[in-house]
Amino acid sequence: LFDLQFFFFFKQKTAYEILSGLVGSEMCIRDRFYSSPNYIWNCTQKMAFVMVIIHYLKREFETLFVHRFGNDTMPRYRVIINSSHYWILGGALIAYFLFRPEYEPPKYPSAVCWALIGGFFLAEFMNLRCHYILKNLRPEGSKVRGIPNGCGFGLVSCANYFWETMSWLTFAIFINCYTGYLFLIVSAGQMAQWALKKHARYYKDFNGNDGTQKYPRGRKAIFPFILQSLSLIHIYEPTRPLYIS
């Protein structure tokens, strides 16, 4: 699994190819450290494992069939950063505290549990829809750019990041593990930085000059009604390759 992940990573030069490392890490920890015939997973652990599996299977599907990548290279330091984020922070730490025998699930009412599960899968579906919207904005092989609409894009420039954050928020609340909240904070913080840069680029590219569309001024970067600090980014200077989907 490790060799396969890095083969895909260097083939596509994108972090999306190593995302299933979380699934692999959790399976490894569960099987090697907590494989006791007397231990039975509780319902929260079982459902959390299903949620994680489905999330990363969706991401692999998007990598193969949805995303179009706009840059064939990636700095080597990103390999370390992305691997650490998904394999260590996301995979090892969450899995260790979530699947250990001492884990005690939160005592939510069943209605709350189902609401969190439903919210997670709704956010996953909306994230997928956003990626298809972004993909259809630019025909393959074209340099045409467009303004996304629908599925939250009417409120924020990066609705895909917003729904991704909502997925991890509902997941963190569902398992109620401090490492889950840590992963949420780090992920949301990174996506917010990317969103601000993309938000600034939309304003720059769609300024109403030379016949271009004018970008809606009411939109925020990633979270509705907040986070629109255009003064932080006057010139679009990407710090990592951005996929074009």
Side-chain angles (χ1 to χ4, degrees), residues 71-134:
N71 198 318
D72 292 329
T73 62
M74 173 177 280
R76 291 188 178 183
Y77 75 90
R78 291 301 313 183
V79 176
I80 299 174
I81 294 174
N82 290 326
S83 298
S84 299
H85 181 71
Y86 290 109
W87 282 79
I88 299 176
L89 182 59
L93 290 182
I94 290 180
Y96 178 81
F97 290 98
L98 174 60
F99 294 111
R100 62 178 179 170
E102 295 81 10
Y103 170 76
E104 294 185 7
K107 293 178 172 56
Y108 299 135
S110 59
V112 174
C113 290
W114 285 113
L116 290 171
I117 294 170
F120 174 85
F121 286 112
L122 173 63
E124 290 289 298
F125 174 75
M126 295 298 286
N127 177 261
L128 177 62
R129 288 283 297 124
C130 288
H131 287 151
Y132 270 106
I133 289 172
L134 293 172

Side-chain angles (χ1 to χ4, degrees), residues 18-72:
I18 64 170
L19 294 184
S20 61
L22 175 60
V23 177
S25 298
E26 291 190 350
M27 293 173 66
C28 176
I29 291 174
R30 172 180 61 85
D31 293 337
R32 294 189 182 182
F33 295 97
Y34 300 143
S35 56
S36 170
N38 299 321
Y39 180 69
I40 300 176
W41 281 13
N42 58 52
C43 292
T44 299
Q45 291 171 317
K46 291 178 181 179
M47 180 53 68
F49 190 74
V50 171
M51 292 162 75
V52 168
I53 290 285
I54 291 177
H55 173 83
Y56 286 105
L57 285 177
K58 178 186 78 72
R59 297 294 290 268
E60 294 298 329
F61 170 82
E62 291 172 338
T63 297
L64 294 172
F65 302 109
V66 181
H67 295 313
R68 297 193 185 115
F69 302 100
N71 198 318
D72 292 329

Side-chain angles (χ1 to χ4, degrees), residues 124-163:
E124 290 289 298
F125 174 75
M126 295 298 286
N127 177 261
L128 177 62
R129 288 283 297 124
C130 288
H131 287 151
Y132 270 106
I133 289 172
L134 293 172
K135 175 185 179 181
N136 293 332
L137 280 178
R138 178 179 293 186
E140 189 171 2
S142 170
K143 294 184 178 180
V144 176
R145 293 180 58 81
I147 299 175
N149 289 286
C151 291
F153 281 111
L155 295 174
V156 296
S157 294
C158 297
N160 51 325
Y161 291 160
F162 169 75
W163 292 115

